[in-house]
Amino acid sequence: PPRPAPEPLETVVGGEIVETGAGPLVRVRREFPLSYAHGRLPLEAAFGVSPDVLGLLAGAGEAPADPRRLVFLDTETTGLAGGTGTYAFLVGAGCLDGDRVVVDQYFMRDFDDEPALLAALDPLFAEASGIVTFNGAGFDLPLLETRYVLARRRWPGALAHVDLLRPARRVWAASLIDCRLITLERDVLGLSRPDDVPGSLIPALYFDFLRSRRAAPLVRVFGHNRDDVLSLVALLGW
């Protein structure tokens, strides 16, 4: 007998289909009050950072002028090799909206959803004072820039960028075993992720979804990405 049709992904992950102007896309939105503690610190600490401190964290690059208009960005990709064959199939973006932090996650149900995903990111970048990442200078942003160029879209290369990996190494390299985000979460933020999916398995879970359309394993991938975004907010607040 024929197999029953799998439950729609947007239903499984608690999201919705949104129209972007370049096609439909799955978006998952979660909101967190500023008093929400992702580890030891409430999220609101990140948005009181002075422009001078942002300048120190940005290093030689341009510093964001307004911490309340930062975009905290993390991607999940089809691999770590980079180049034209690597896609960012899930992009999580955290922004301040009034008295809460809103985390929007944009997901490609297949590779032809990429124009819609890039179109969804455009208004976020247009309104941002800067982007905050962890190792974004070495991976996330060059990958997104490649995807923008291949799609013949204009990449916002002049947008200020704070990569928290570099200052984290200067502060903790001598006292911690490494400066991976998971280590900083445990030893600096006091955060534990008991049910987290290892990042090395995420590309395989996505490819399995493309073959089978079974969305249930992706729930943990969305959770992993959302926790990464919130960790950026908490780490900047620290």
Side-chain angles (χ1 to χ4, degrees), residues 184-204:
L184 299 178
E185 288 176 338
R186 183 188 66 233
D187 296 339
V188 176
L189 301 178
L191 179 70
S192 175
R193 299 201 211 177
D195 194 38
D196 189 35
V197 58
S200 58
L201 295 181
I202 288 178

Side-chain angles (χ1 to χ4, degrees), residues 73-218:
L73 193 74
D74 186 69
T75 65
E76 307 302 334
T77 66
T78 56
L80 298 178
T84 58
T86 304
Y87 289 77
F89 67 86
L90 174 63
V91 178
C95 302
L96 181 66
D97 185 4
D99 60 351
R100 62 195 183 278
V101 175
V102 177
V103 179
D104 284 323
Q105 296 172 287
Y106 302 100
F107 180 81
M108 288 169 38
R109 295 164 295 176
D110 214 325
F111 294 118
D112 56 3
D113 275 355
E114 185 178 52
L117 185 146
L118 300 179
L121 295 179
D122 281 342
L124 292 177
F125 293 150
E127 298 176 6
S129 65
I131 302 174
V132 179
T133 67
F134 193 85
N135 194 32
F139 185 72
D140 300 78
L141 297 194
L143 174 62
L144 286 176
E145 182 177 4
T146 297
R147 304 318 309 174
Y148 265 72
V149 170
L150 292 175
R152 298 184 179 181
R153 303 185 74 94
R154 183 179 297 277
W155 170 248
L159 196 59
H161 177 216
V162 175
D163 187 341
L164 294 178
L165 175 60
R166 296 173 179 177
R169 283 175 171 167
R170 297 194 65 176
V171 174
W172 291 296
S175 58
L176 300 179
I177 57 173
D178 57 54
C179 285
R180 294 185 301 159
L181 184 59
I182 190 172
T183 303
L184 299 178
E185 288 176 338
R186 183 188 66 233
D187 296 339
V188 176
L189 301 178
L191 179 70
S192 175
R193 299 201 211 177
D195 194 38
D196 189 35
V197 58
S200 58
L201 295 181
I202 288 178
L205 292 175
Y206 180 63
F207 287 124
D208 180 70
F209 166 77
L210 294 180
R211 289 189 294 267
S212 68
R213 294 296 161 178
R214 293 184 299 109
L218 292 179

